Amino acid sequence: MAPAEPNALPFRPKGEIPHFAEEKEGWKGYVEWEEYPEKKKQAQEILKKYDFPEPPEFQLVPLPTTNPILTGERWKQYHDACGLDYIYKNSWSTVLKEKSEDMIHVLQFPYNGEPPGDRLIKTKLTNNKDHFVRNHGGVPDIDADKWTLDIGGLVKNPQKLTLAQLQDESIFPRQSNIVTLQCSGTRRIEQIHEYPGDGDELINAPWCEGAISTARWTGVSLKKVIKHCGGLVDNADNIEFFGADTYFKKGNVHNYIVSVPWRKVKVHEVLLAWEMNGEPLPRIHGHPLRVVVFGYIGARSVKWLYKIRAIHRPSTAPVQLKEYLYYSPQIGKQNAQYSNGFSIQDMPVSSAMITPKNMDQIIHSGHIRLAGWAYSGGGHWPVRVEVSGDGGSIWYEVPAENMSTKYFYAWRTWWIDLPVDAEGWLEMCVRCWDNAMNTQPTFVRSAWNWDLHVTSSAHRVKVYSINKSRPNTAATLKQLEENGTPMIPITRPVHFDLETDEEYAKAMESRAWRDPLE
């Protein structure tokens, strides 16, 4: 299916379209908002003039079968109103150029996309074209030779560094790590299907199992850069990152800003990366420089980094203060407040079954192959993966030789040929144990929260088992084949009798027919 055009709904301007100039030469798609309160106010007043499209309903009704699944029309129109339509058009062009043709476009703009699951787990490192993308705004196009990084706030000696300086190993020793990045929305579709929540299509995009990927990232430890600036002063305990993308939030416009605690930086678990799997960062993944925070929610790994500030206490920017919050199960639309959710940082232990898929109908000889990924953040790693063919009563350990290499900051892919005798509908599930003996909640209901983050429960899929090692099943399959009738899908009716009258009479005789003797 051909991807949709980036401007599906017509936009009717009210008055003259404004022009918000790009901030720097060679920084296409970057508009500085944070330094200019009057510019933010102007944009706010413009946005007030319009009745933008309502968010699409995608939780209480079936998801569209299109690709893109959701198109983000209101986000496009926010940009239209501010004269920034070129941002979403250029961003979509970048998607088509840099990502695989068969990416699942969960949201067209701001772009959110995941790869087909079977290809995701074929290799321990994800191909750059297949690596998932979770954006909050457009994709800037920044000339690396004209890019600079401002480092300020509560540091002794503020600096402005070029990419060449950061890459000079006589100044900064290089660091390279294999790191898994995971969106907190991974497997959100399971919560949506059973217990819907907040319906913002950007904040709560309907991700499946592919919002996770692994790469070798190369750059410099942020700790080394802060040391180059003379270290922290005045009780600084958090580091704030500024991304060059434009982000609209409830009638206001911002640059993308989040923070991480200094304790994370101190142990060299925050990397300023310019290379991804041995290649320069693709534009869509943050060229020329991005942040990679090991074991944390992907939202802290800022792309298109242009400014760093040392601060006291976490950032009060909206993404840090008002988003990626984990609420208790009794919090919802009726009572959700920013102060009663805690900020998601470390990613918990989780796993997913990529194959088989939900509602698969499988003809087998007593074994069904299961395969997927397992991950644990926060300084932990997967140690054991277990699968069940009966919904979680009996568990089988995945053999160690069927799991990929252990890394401190990365997932492990796995597979197992699960013994299956039973036929009919079965519920397969998988859970992971990490090195701290953490494992996953048993059911989705245990993980539900209003913003539908962190679906960390045991992953479950329903499959229909057809065991051809059973003589009767094998005979029926042969009969179907001889008559040119497919077994799958099981819902397609059989247009001939599978039992003759003589066979029926013989079977009923052996069972003393249907009624009692007396």
Side-chain angles (χ1 to χ4, degrees):
M1 183 179 296
E5 291 299 315
N7 48 348
L9 289 181
F11 174 75
R12 295 176 176 83
K14 295 183 178 181
E16 184 178 350
I17 296 294
H19 174 67
F20 291 106
E22 294 175 325
E23 185 70 13
K24 298 180 181 181
E25 181 185 358
W27 294 48
K28 297 178 182 178
Y30 161 53
V31 179
E32 174 59 45
W33 301 102
E34 304 308 319
E35 296 291 333
Y36 306 110
E38 69 282 359
K39 188 194 295 187
K40 295 181 76 168
K41 181 67 174 177
Q42 182 186 356
Q44 184 183 48
E45 293 302 316
I46 291 168
L47 294 171
K48 285 180 180 178
K49 297 178 183 178
Y50 292 90
D51 294 321
F52 293 105
E54 290 294 324
E57 179 55 68
F58 62 93
Q59 298 195 29
L60 298 175
V61 300
L63 277 179
T65 57
T66 53
N67 192 23
I69 298 171
L70 303 174
T71 57
E73 296 308 311
R74 62 188 180 119
W75 303 92
K76 296 172 189 175
Q77 291 200 14
Y78 298 155
H79 285 71
D80 285 325
C82 293
L84 302 173
D85 59 306
Y86 68 93
I87 289 181
Y88 67 75
K89 293 174 182 177
N90 291 345
S91 294
W92 184 238
S93 296
T94 301
V95 172
L96 298 180
K97 179 181 178 182
E98 295 190 350
K99 305 311 294 181
S100 295
E101 290 183 1
D102 58 351
M103 286 288 283
I104 300 164
H105 307 305
V106 179
L107 179 63
Q108 186 183 38
F109 184 80
Y111 185 69
N112 287 246
E114 61 183 293
D118 55 350
R119 199 165 64 243
L120 175 67
I121 60 170
K122 278 186 177 179
T123 55
K124 67 181 181 183
L125 297 185
T126 312
N127 184 288
N128 289 358
K129 284 182 171 289
D130 287 338
H131 199 289
F132 88 96
V133 179
R134 198 279 189 262
N135 288 343
H136 295 75
V139 179
D141 183 5
I142 301 174
D143 184 339
D145 292 333
K146 296 180 178 179
W147 173 89
T148 55
L149 176 64
D150 289 315
I151 305 156
L154 303 179
V155 295
K156 187 174 183 179
N157 301 310
Q159 301 277 324
K160 178 176 286 190
L161 300 173
T162 65
L163 187 60
Q165 288 174 308
L166 287 170
Q167 293 176 336
D168 185 343
E169 293 189 75
S170 68
I171 305 174
F172 301 109
R174 198 157 294 189
Q175 181 173 325
S176 183
N177 297 90
I178 291 176
V179 178
T180 293
L181 293 182
Q182 183 183 21
C183 176
S184 70
T186 309
R187 296 176 44 206
R188 176 177 284 130
I189 195 66
E190 296 164 50
Q191 293 195 60
I192 289 174
H193 281 166
E194 295 197 37
Y195 308 99
D198 185 271
D200 186 309
E201 75 273 34
L202 171 58
I203 307 306
N204 299 314
W207 294 100
C208 291
E209 299 86 38
I212 182 171
S213 299
T214 301
R216 177 172 285 281
W217 307 93
T218 300
V220 57
S221 169
L222 176 57
K223 182 180 181 181
K224 298 291 186 181
V225 177
I226 297 298
K227 182 179 179 180
H228 181 76
C229 296
L232 304 181
V233 297
D234 298 335
N235 297 316
D237 53 14
N238 278 261
I239 305 296
E240 191 173 45
F241 305 120
F242 290 65
D245 40 336
T246 288
Y247 178 45
F248 288 89
K249 175 75 173 179
K250 295 188 175 181
N252 295 291
V253 63
H254 312 268
N255 296 110
Y256 187 83
I257 306 171
V258 294
S259 64
V260 298
W262 172 246
R263 66 178 181 274
K264 190 73 174 172
V265 179
K266 280 199 303 184
V267 292
H268 300 288
E269 291 185 352
V270 180
L271 190 70
L272 305 184
W274 56 76
E275 193 175 278
M276 179 180 183
N277 288 331
E279 300 175 358
L281 275 178
R283 276 181 58 196
I284 202 164
H285 288 290
H287 176 83
L289 193 78
R290 70 169 296 163
V291 181
V292 177
V293 184
F294 306 173
Y296 264 27
I297 178 177
R300 309 300 178 230
S301 292
V302 174
K303 298 185 283 288
W304 312 291
L305 182 69
Y306 71 96
K307 185 190 296 184
I308 294 174
R309 286 200 319 149
I311 57 176
H312 180 55
R313 297 205 173 104
S315 173
T316 57
V319 178
Q320 188 78 31
L321 181 69
K322 301 177 180 181
E323 296 177 17
Y324 300 104
L325 303 175
Y326 200 91
Y327 294 107
S328 71
Q330 293 195 47
I331 298 295
K333 188 173 183 178
Q334 75 281 3
N335 59 0
Q337 296 178 325
Y338 302 131
S339 58
N340 57 23
F342 65 79
S343 185
I344 303 168
Q345 300 280 55
D346 290 335
M347 291 302 288
V349 61
S350 60
S351 62
M353 196 184 314
I354 300 300
T355 184
K357 299 186 183 305
N358 200 43
M359 297 293 146
D360 274 357
Q361 301 126 67
I362 303 171
I363 301 171
H364 61 91
S365 299
H367 289 82
I368 295 177
R369 175 158 294 191
L370 280 54
W373 55 259
Y375 174 65
S376 189
H380 301 125
W381 57 90
V383 171
R384 178 190 299 164
V385 173
E386 296 173 333
V387 298
S388 173
D390 63 357
S393 293
I394 299 173
W395 295 90
Y396 295 80
E397 182 178 355
V398 173
E401 61 269 22
N402 294 358
M403 296 178 66
S404 63
T405 307
K406 283 196 289 279
Y407 293 97
F408 281 111
Y409 309 112
W411 69 4
R412 301 180 75 181
T413 57
W414 58 268
W415 65 271
I416 185 174
D417 288 327
L418 179 68
V420 177
D421 177 63
E423 294 193 291
W425 284 109
L426 305 176
E427 188 173 59
M428 309 288 188
C429 52
V430 58
R431 68 185 179 190
C432 174
W433 295 83
D434 70 14
N435 63 302
M437 295 297 294
N438 298 308
T439 194
Q440 300 171 244
T442 304
F443 299 104
V444 169
R445 187 68 183 91
S446 304
W448 185 85
N449 60 100
W450 171 239
D451 277 345
L452 309 175
H453 290 302
V454 192
T455 311
S456 58
S457 52
H459 187 209
R460 297 170 176 272
V461 301
K462 295 178 176 65
V463 302
Y464 191 87
S465 166
I466 305 155
N467 188 351
K468 65 182 181 180
S469 69
R470 292 187 170 190
N472 287 346
T473 298
T476 299
L477 290 172
K478 183 179 180 182
Q479 193 176 0
L480 291 172
E481 183 180 6
E482 289 172 349
N483 283 273
T485 301
M487 178 68 208
I488 296 172
I490 61 170
T491 51
R492 185 174 298 174
V494 177
H495 297 293
F496 61 90
D497 291 333
L498 292 172
E499 187 178 39
T500 66
D501 291 345
E502 292 78 9
E503 289 169 335
Y504 172 80
K506 183 178 179 179
M508 295 309 296
E509 184 69 33
S510 70
R511 298 174 189 176
W513 298 91
R514 296 201 187 276
D515 294 327
L517 182 61
E518 59 177 73

